Amino acid sequence: MILIPCPECGPRDEVEFHYGGQAHVAHPEDPYALTDEEWGRFLFYRENPKGLFAERWVHASGCRTWFNVVRDTATYRIAAVYRLGDPRPVLTGGTP
Amino acid sequence: MAPLAGAPTQALPEHPEFLWRNPEPKKSYDVVIVGAGGHGLATAYYLAKNHGITNVAVLERGWLAGGNMARNTAIIRSNYLWDESAAIYEHSLKLWEGLPDELEYDFLFSQRGVMNLAHTLGDVRESVRRVSANRLNGIDAEWLDPKQVKELCPIINIGDDIRYPVMGATYQPRAGIAKHDHVAWAFARKADEYGIDLIQNCEVTGFVKEGDRVVGVETNRGTINAGRVGLCAAGHSSVLATLAGVELPVQSHPLQALVSELHLPVHPTVVMSNHVHVYVSQAHKGELVMGAGVDGYTGYGQRGGFHVIEKQMAAAVELFPIFARAHLLRTWGGIVDVTMDASPIMDRTPVDDLFVNCGWGTGGFKATPGSGWAFAHTIATGAPHPLNAPFSLDRFTTGALIDEHGAAGVAH
Ligand SMILES: Cc1cc2nc3c(=O)[nH]c(=O)nc-3n(C[C@H](O)[C@H](O)[C@H](O)COP(=O)(O)OP(=O)(O)OC[C@H]3O[C@@H](n4cnc5c(N)ncnc54)[C@H](O)[C@@H]3O)c2cc1C
Ligand SMILES: [Zn+2]
C-alpha cells in the first residue's frame, strides 16, 4: 500500500487516488506544426525510469485535486508532493 | 508427499539427467541475447535450429527464467481479435502442440480449453464478434451460453442474482496451460545442446557502440563483443534500451498472481473474466492458480497492491462460491511492460544490429515459441518475419496500431 499525502487532505491510502502518468507533459502549442513522428512521440512515449519519477495523481474519492508527486518506482517511496504548475523540485538519491 | 486419493495429481515429469552447462562468458559472440526468460531462450533455440547460428550467448542478470517466466499463470491461447495477433499467437499454439516431442521434455502442456466470460451486453457482442473473427482465421472458437459454461465447468455460478451474472463465454478448446518452468528448462537444455552459452548472474549494464552500430555489451563480468544484440528483458526492456540511447513506448507495471493450497480436481478448464477481473485454472498438482490485473501505476517492485488481490478474490468467490474456504498459499508479482495498444514490439531499433522484443505485457507466455521463432528470424536476417512485421516500432508513428485491449485478457 502506498500512503499518498494529498496536498489538501493529508495522507490517504492509494485506493482513494487515480494515477495520471508522467507529469510535465505539455500539449503541443501548435499540433499542426508537428511531424507524424513528433505527434507519435507526444501520444505514445513516456518516461519509464526505475527510480525517481515525476507523475500526476488525482484524489478521486476525496477532494478531487490533481497534483504532482515524485516517487521512486523501485521502492515506492514518495520523495516530494507539489501543486500543478509548480516546477519539479530538484532531488538527489533514489534508486539509480 | 503422496498424492491425495482421486486427485488429478499428474506427478511432475522426471527431469533429464543433464540440463545445461554454466560456462564462463567468451570474449565475443555472433549474437548476444539479453534476458534468459522464455523469450530469450526460445530465440536462442530457434537461432540455432532454424538459422544454424550457434555462436550465441544468452545473458541473464539473475537465475535462468527467474523473471516473468517463473511468475506467470501459464495460460496459452490464440483467440485474439485482429489478424496480426491471431497469426502470431496461432503460430505459437501450433508450435506448442509439437514442442514436448521436439524438445524431448515433458512440460505438461494440457489443452483443457479456455473460456473468456461475458458479463454485460457489450461483452457479449465483443465476444461473439471475436468468435467469428477467430473462425475466419482458422482458429477454433465457440460461443457458449451460460448452461454450456456450467456443463464445462460445473463449479461456476451462473445465477442471475450476482452483480455481473455470466451471460456466456467464448471457448477455445485447443487452449490450455503448461508447466512454465519446465518449458524454460526444455528450451535451455536444447539451446545448450547446440553449444549456446547460457550465462547466469551476468547483468548487462551498458552497450558498446561504434557510431550508430552496437558492437557489444558491458556487463558485471566484463565487456562481451557481439555481432548482433537482441533484447528480451520483459519488464526492464525500456531501462535497458535507454542505456543504448533507444526510447521505447512501454510502461512497466507490477502484475500479481496467487495460488491456493492443493485441492481435489474441481476445475477442469481455464476460466478468464476480463470484466470482473480474475482468471483461474487448477494446476496439475491441484493448486488453484489465479491472476488479477496490473497495478495502476508504474512500478518495478516485484509485488503488487493488496487491494488488487482483494478485488480479484471478491470476483473469484462470486463466480466460484466453493473457493470461499480455500486457503491462500502464496502470492507474488512480476513486472510486465505494456504498450498503448496492448500488443508487443518486435523489431530492429534505430541502433544498427540492436533488436528489441518487448511489450508482451501481461500475455507473453503463450507466445514464447512463436516469439522466439519470429525474433530469431529478425536477428538472423536483419529484417522482420511476416509474423512480426506488423509489431513494429513505427506503428506508433504511422498509427497502424493493433488494438488488442479486448482480447488481451488482463486489464491494463
Ligand atoms: C503474474 C503474471 C501472470 C501472467 N500470466 C500469463 C498467462 O497466464 N499467460 C501468458 O501468456 N502470459 C502471462 N504473463 C506474461 C508473461 O509472463 C510475459 O509476457 C513473458 O514471460 C515475458 O517474456 P520472458 O519470458 O522472456 O520474460 P522474463 O521471464 O521476465 O525474462 C526477462 C529476463 O530478462 C532479465 N533481465 C532484465 N534486465 C537484464 C539485464 N540488464 N541484464 C541481463 N538480464 C536482464 C530478467 O532477469 C529476466 O529473467 C504473466 C505475467 C505475470 C507477471
Ligand atoms: Zn485530497
Side-chain angles (χ1 to χ4, degrees), chain A residues 14 41 47-48 50 71 73, chain B residues 236 238 297-298 300 307:
Chain A
E14 67 180 273
R41 296 194 81 76
E47 287 169 22
N48 189 30
K50 185 175 189 174
R71 181 176 60 97
T73 59
Chain B
H236 283 74
S238 68
Y297 42 86
T298 314
Y300 290 89
H307 60 281

Side-chain angles (χ1 to χ4, degrees), chain B residues 11-12 36 64 175 187 190 193 288 367:
Chain B
L12 294 183
L64 190 133
F187 274 118
K190 278 291 170 194
E193 253 177 48
L288 299 166

